[in-house]
């Protein structure tokens, strides 16, 4: 199965810091409308696209969650020379900020660069210290008088990087989690008659605490839940076999647990058996640090949900060089489609 890399590129390159997902939201609503029965948003900004089953007498609901936001920043100060200070939105390794371009989304989009103290003027002690996010500032190449015409405290900031294909992989900023947005859109195009009513939910503010998924699950009150998100592929030099979490090219990952969720054993077993039945390549995932929308989907409905997750193995997470394998992405689409079509025939009571 070939994936639509042009569509994935368009989705990944959109700007959507936590709380400022409007560009992604507008794109998603237009993209999914022809393939679902209803599209709506809630007060927090989640997109909920509903695809009804043709044979669901009990009215069972399955919520599928893919978050639209990406890690980013917010303007906190503009100094007298026009340099911009910021606060992080989501989890950053400070050393990955070095030598990066960013976009500040004010009255118009302005490209800036992450600046810090040059190594040439660092003391010997400073050279040995790990950087902090507070060591960086954004240089727009403008005076303060020019900057404040367009930029204000509170404006969101995203990272500037385009998607490219590298061998069997795609590489871009915001593969986390635009690849899942892409997978959910493509699945909605393919699925003809889901076993239960599908509430395809494109969530907000995951990177700052699963906030959108919590609200959406409370409103939807799903019986079943599937989250879609990236996971660590630590299949790189120096990694021990037990540290890898997942590996690129080994298939869609079926989540067993992460730091915020122990997936329902019934959903894990169902996903494994469904993958095997349809000859879909898969691998298990146990992520001991980091959480996903799975937690909100599982716990925030009124009775809770039988929930699990399909994870997309990704190298270099939370950097601008996130890398995913195209075959793993395709297998994730196929597994989600198969799960949504086969859910009614599984023995959920055991």
């Amino acid at each position: 199965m070939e994936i639509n890399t042009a569509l994935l590129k368009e989705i990944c390159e959109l700007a959507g810091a936590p709380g400022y997902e409007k560009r992604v939201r507008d794109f998603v609503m237009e993209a999914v409308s022809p393939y679902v029965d209803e599209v709506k948003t809630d007060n927090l900004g989640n997109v909920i696209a509903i695809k009804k089953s043709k044979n669901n007498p009990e009215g069972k609901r399955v919520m599928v969650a893919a978050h639209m936001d990406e890690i980013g920043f917010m303007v906190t100060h503009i100094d007298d020379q026009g340099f911009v200070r910021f606060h992080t939105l989501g989890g950053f390794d400070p050393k990955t900020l070095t030598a990066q371009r960013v976009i500040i989304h004010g009255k118009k989009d302005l490209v800036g660069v992450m600046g810090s103290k040059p190594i040439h003027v660092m003391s010997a002690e400073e050279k040995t210290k790990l950087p902090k996010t507070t060591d960086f500032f954004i240089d727009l190449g403008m005076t303060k008088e020019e900057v404040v015409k367009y930029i204000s405290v509170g404006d969101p900031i995203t990272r500037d990087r385009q998607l490219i294909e590298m061998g069997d992989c795609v590489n871009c900023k915001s593969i986390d989690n635009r690849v899942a947005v892409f997978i959910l859109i493509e699945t909605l195009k393919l699925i003809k008659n889901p076993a239960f009513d599908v509430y395809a939910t494109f969530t907000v503010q995951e990177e700052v605490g699963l906030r959108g998924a919590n609200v959406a699950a409370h409103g939807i009150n799903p019986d079943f839940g599937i989250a879609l998100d990236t996971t660590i592929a630590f299949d790189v030099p120096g990694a021990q076999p037990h540290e890898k979490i997942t590996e690129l090219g080994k298939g869609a990952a079926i989540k067993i647990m992460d730091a915020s969720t122990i997936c329902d054993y019934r959903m894990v077993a169902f996903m494994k058996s469904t993958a095997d039945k349809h000859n879909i390549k898969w691998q298990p995932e146990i992520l001991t640090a980091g959480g996903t929308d799975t937690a909100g989907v599982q716990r925030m409905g009124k009775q809770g949900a039988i929930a699990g997750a399909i994870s997309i193995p990704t190298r270099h997470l939370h950097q601008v060089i996130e890398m995913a394998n195209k075959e793993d992405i395709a297998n994730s689409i196929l597994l989600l489609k198969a799960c949504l079509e086969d859910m009614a025939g599984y023995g959920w009571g055991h």
Side-chain angles (χ1 to χ4, degrees), residues 19-286:
Y20 297 88
E21 298 92 350
K22 185 180 187 303
R23 296 183 192 190
V24 187
R25 178 166 50 249
D26 291 347
F27 182 93
V28 166
M29 293 184 74
E30 183 175 351
V32 301
S33 291
Y35 306 102
V36 297
D37 298 298
E38 180 184 354
V39 182
K40 60 184 180 179
T41 60
D42 61 21
N43 289 338
L44 206 61
N46 297 303
V47 176
I48 302 167
I50 304 169
K51 193 175 187 77
K52 294 282 189 178
S53 171
K54 296 172 184 173
N55 183 27
N56 182 25
E58 296 182 1
K60 296 285 188 183
R61 299 180 176 189
V62 53
M63 176 179 171
V64 185
H67 72 85
M68 298 183 288
D69 57 313
E70 62 187 289
I71 56 172
F73 316 91
M74 180 179 284
V75 174
T76 58
H77 181 71
I78 303 166
D79 73 16
D80 291 340
Q81 294 176 279
F83 296 117
V84 174
R85 295 286 182 170
F86 58 86
H87 179 68
T88 54
L89 300 174
F92 279 90
D93 179 351
K95 67 177 180 290
T96 66
L97 302 183
T98 301
Q100 298 297 335
R101 288 189 181 126
V102 297
I103 305 170
I104 304 182
H105 306 283
K107 292 177 182 174
K108 70 175 185 178
D109 287 354
L110 293 178
V111 175
V113 296
M114 283 285 181
S116 60
K117 190 173 184 178
I119 193 169
H120 311 75
V121 294
M122 285 183 181
S123 67
E125 183 183 5
E126 286 174 326
K127 290 178 183 179
T128 64
K129 289 183 177 179
L130 290 173
K132 304 184 294 295
T133 56
T134 50
D135 293 333
F136 294 87
F137 55 86
I138 296 171
D139 183 355
L140 292 162
M142 297 177 173
T143 65
K144 181 177 183 178
E145 289 72 27
E146 292 176 290
V147 170
V148 297
K149 289 178 185 177
Y150 308 106
I151 304 301
S152 302
V153 169
D155 286 341
I157 307 163
T158 58
R159 301 157 301 156
D160 183 24
R161 189 62 63 100
Q162 287 70 50
L163 184 141
I164 61 172
E165 295 184 59
M166 301 174 64
D168 296 325
C169 298
V170 287
N171 188 282
C172 195
K173 64 95 180 171
S174 308
I175 294 287
D176 177 13
N177 190 34
R178 302 295 167 65
V179 69
V181 171
F182 167 79
I183 287 166
L184 188 47
I185 291 172
E186 293 294 86
T187 303
L188 289 172
K189 292 178 183 178
L190 292 173
I191 193 165
K192 302 304 180 189
N193 183 27
F196 303 135
D197 294 348
V198 174
Y199 286 70
T201 309
F202 301 85
T203 65
V204 298
Q205 298 192 45
E206 188 271 352
E207 295 290 1
V208 289
L210 320 183
R211 297 171 187 178
N214 288 343
V215 169
H218 183 73
I220 294 167
N221 193 28
D223 301 282
F224 302 90
I226 299 174
L228 304 172
D229 208 335
T230 55
T231 190
I232 292 169
F234 190 44
D235 53 344
V236 297
Q240 298 300 309
H242 66 279
E243 296 177 312
K244 291 183 178 180
I245 312 297
T246 63
E247 300 179 63
L248 294 194
K250 293 293 182 70
I254 294 174
K255 186 183 292 292
I256 297 170
M257 66 160 284
D258 61 32
S260 62
T261 310
I262 297 173
C263 295
D264 194 293
Y265 67 92
R266 293 166 291 184
M267 183 61 76
V268 174
F270 167 67
M271 286 184 173
K272 290 178 179 179
S273 64
T274 301
D276 290 340
K277 173 185 173 183
H278 294 274
N279 297 312
I280 298 167
K281 189 187 294 187
W282 67 274
Q283 57 187 307
E285 178 218 1
I286 293 178

